[in-house]
Amino acid sequence: MSPFASDTLNLLSDRELEVLGHLAEGHTYTAIARRMNLSPHTVDTYLRRIRGKAGVSNRAHLVLLALQATKFHGFGLTQV
């Protein structure tokens, strides 16, 4: 993992990391909201905050960060 990703992930709250884990699994905002018992608007807010903290400007970069977060924190990507 790059030092940038590691530093960025350390800035995120537990809930933001949880949202990233679900995003890495390929879930939609609505599915993430259902799994976390939140509104889709709240999930969108979490993801906007993550993008702001990480300085990423598009969804592709956000997904890359999410995949790195799963490796760094050991969550997400459930086994089937």
Side-chain angles (χ1 to χ4, degrees), residues 32-52:
I32 294 169
R34 273 192 306 250
R35 287 173 170 264
M36 295 180 67
N37 200 27
L38 302 170
S39 78
H41 178 74
T42 302
V43 171
D44 181 60
T45 299
Y46 278 129
L47 290 169
R48 279 188 281 118
R49 288 180 186 167
I50 293 166
R51 282 194 298 268

Side-chain angles (χ1 to χ4, degrees), residues 1-2 4-6 9 63-73:
M1 172 180 303
S2 72
F4 167 76
S6 178
L9 294 175
V63 169
L64 287 174
L65 182 66
L67 291 171
Q68 289 180 340
T70 61
K71 291 179 184 177
F72 185 71
H73 287 278

